[in-house]
Amino acid sequence: MTKKPTAIDLFCGAGGLSEGLRQAGYSILAGNDIDPYAGATFAATHPDAKFIPGSVRDLEASDFLEVTGLKKGELDCLAGGPPCQGYSVYNHQRGMHDERSHLFREYLRIVEGLMPKWLVMENVTGIMSAGEGEAFQAVLAGIRALGYNVEARILRAEEYGIPQERRRVVFIGNRLGLPIMWPKKTHGEGLRPFTTIKDALADLPALSNGEDGGVQGYATEPKSDFQTELRAGSNAVYNHAAPRLGAINIERMKHIPQGGSWRDIPFDLLPSGMKRAKRSDHTKRYGRMKWDGLSCTVLTKCDVHWGAYIHPDQNRSISVREAARIQSFPDWFQFEGPRTEQYVQVGNAVPPMLGRKIGEAIVSAIESGSADADDTEERKAAAG
């Protein structure tokens, strides 16, 4: 039996990227995050991994080697997504002066101490423009300075079967001289149809505004391949409760059709600030999802004031479980902590399905490198 490749997840959050790597065949040995609620979720959902709490600034590579029993250079893959708020387009003061913009240096410090064979780093696309691209170039230069071949690409989640418009920059590197392979797109024009909101959510029980039914049964049998996959290993619905919105918001929702937004709300019902807005502004605010469409990017707050987070036909905002479905988390994956913190964990995560595709691409590169090595040996033997 082939030994599973090993991975450690820095800035692991709830563990979306590491869950994806686990699905791709990796053994997740450890994770680190400063957020105690995300850490509780990671620990509960990755029972074979060691969670190391606290700021990465207070940790050394030796801490990870100690808990995993590895020696420097033995780790197969170091994964991680340094907090991205410093680069986010939603942060209007973003830039290199934001101290969170420098956490990638901590990631590189741990890379240097561990010298993994492969590394994966994920971030928002804003890293490419923040400080006129200074951060993006610094990440590439820092990784190359450690002896790694590295490439970066923007990956679109919806092109890999995730029911959400989500763009993220992914860096993949290795120090083995192997080619860097990227996951092949599976959905979109000329490929499989995009996974829709209906594909993702139609089997979940209905909720009224503010309703928390606790652990619930499914409303129907699976109605899509996506639902079948995410329901595997689970016989109930967890983290499925609707935030309680005020009466004025419920009244506003009554006027919003599927695919509609704040523009459909009668003027006298609009929030005062939005009465001054241009019709071309805030395109997603008070947006209602379409059953046959994609979700907008799941953020750390699925707040109807900020995005299209109204259920397609129920007058409420989406639950944590619905956000997790849109992020491709399996249903057995339960989120710990207060509900507001659960939304943060879901919104900050790498969609596990995308993490799996990345992990599988790395495995393919390793196998292709092994095949090349075997071919070389055979040619040498034949020439011998």
Side-chain angles (χ1 to χ4, degrees), residues 5-8 17 20-21 24-26 75-80 107 116-121 148-149 151 155 170-176 178-184 354-370:
T6 54
I8 290 174
L17 180 52
L21 292 175
Y26 282 76
L75 179 68
D76 290 300
C77 183
L78 180 67
Y107 177 86
K117 296 165 187 172
W118 288 82
L119 58 84
V120 175
M121 185 176 135
Y148 288 80
N149 175 31
E151 292 179 13
L155 300 184
V170 175
F171 300 81
I172 300 179
N174 73 73
R175 57 173 180 78
L176 307 176
L178 292 176
I180 290 169
M181 298 174 75
W182 292 90
K184 290 184 171 61
L354 183 59
R356 182 177 78 218
K357 300 286 188 183
I358 292 168
E360 288 170 349
I362 293 174
V363 170
S364 293
I366 293 168
E367 289 173 349
S368 103
S370 298

Side-chain angles (χ1 to χ4, degrees), residues 158-194:
E158 64 270 29
E159 294 180 334
Y160 301 95
I162 297 147
Q164 175 190 181
E165 294 177 344
R166 189 181 190 91
R167 320 260 182 280
R168 291 294 185 266
V169 178
V170 175
F171 300 81
I172 300 179
N174 73 73
R175 57 173 180 78
L176 307 176
L178 292 176
I180 290 169
M181 298 174 75
W182 292 90
K184 290 184 171 61
K185 299 171 187 176
T186 54
H187 294 66
E189 190 175 344
L191 302 168
R192 295 175 63 186
F194 288 129

Side-chain angles (χ1 to χ4, degrees), residues 15-215:
L17 180 52
S18 50
E19 169 57 20
L21 292 175
R22 186 195 66 76
Q23 292 175 14
Y26 282 76
S27 175
I28 312 304
L29 302 184
N32 160 254
D33 203 277
I34 197 170
D35 180 343
Y37 297 115
T41 298
F42 180 90
T45 54
H46 295 73
D48 297 330
K50 174 69 175 175
F51 178 70
I52 306 174
S55 170
V56 69
R57 290 188 172 103
D58 300 328
L59 296 173
E60 301 295 334
S62 57
D63 296 315
F64 293 95
L65 296 175
E66 185 177 337
V67 301
T68 60
L70 294 175
K71 295 183 175 63
K72 182 176 179 177
E74 288 183 344
L75 179 68
D76 290 300
C77 183
L78 180 67
C84 58
Q85 291 89 343
Y87 311 123
S88 174
V89 294
Y90 297 98
N91 172 12
H92 298 294
Q93 286 78 44
R94 71 197 182 107
M96 294 301 290
H97 59 274
D98 188 318
E99 67 172 21
R100 294 169 299 191
S101 299
H102 295 279
L103 280 168
F104 74 86
R105 299 192 190 283
E106 299 297 325
Y107 177 86
L108 294 178
R109 179 175 62 84
I110 301 298
V111 170
E112 185 173 15
L114 295 179
M115 291 306 288
K117 296 165 187 172
W118 288 82
L119 58 84
V120 175
M121 185 176 135
E122 177 264 1
N123 220 294
V124 291
T125 56
I127 193 175
M128 301 180 81
S129 55
E132 298 182 338
E134 179 187 346
F136 179 69
Q137 294 302 329
V139 170
L140 290 174
I143 293 172
R144 286 171 180 147
L146 295 174
Y148 288 80
N149 175 31
V150 62
E151 292 179 13
R153 284 192 187 179
I154 294 175
L155 300 184
R156 299 169 180 246
E158 64 270 29
E159 294 180 334
Y160 301 95
I162 297 147
Q164 175 190 181
E165 294 177 344
R166 189 181 190 91
R167 320 260 182 280
R168 291 294 185 266
V169 178
V170 175
F171 300 81
I172 300 179
N174 73 73
R175 57 173 180 78
L176 307 176
L178 292 176
I180 290 169
M181 298 174 75
W182 292 90
K184 290 184 171 61
K185 299 171 187 176
T186 54
H187 294 66
E189 190 175 344
L191 302 168
R192 295 175 63 186
F194 288 129
T195 304
T196 65
I197 294 296
K198 187 173 186 178
D199 294 330
L201 306 183
D203 63 327
L204 296 177
L207 294 171
S208 56
N209 177 49
E211 180 183 356
D212 183 354
V215 179

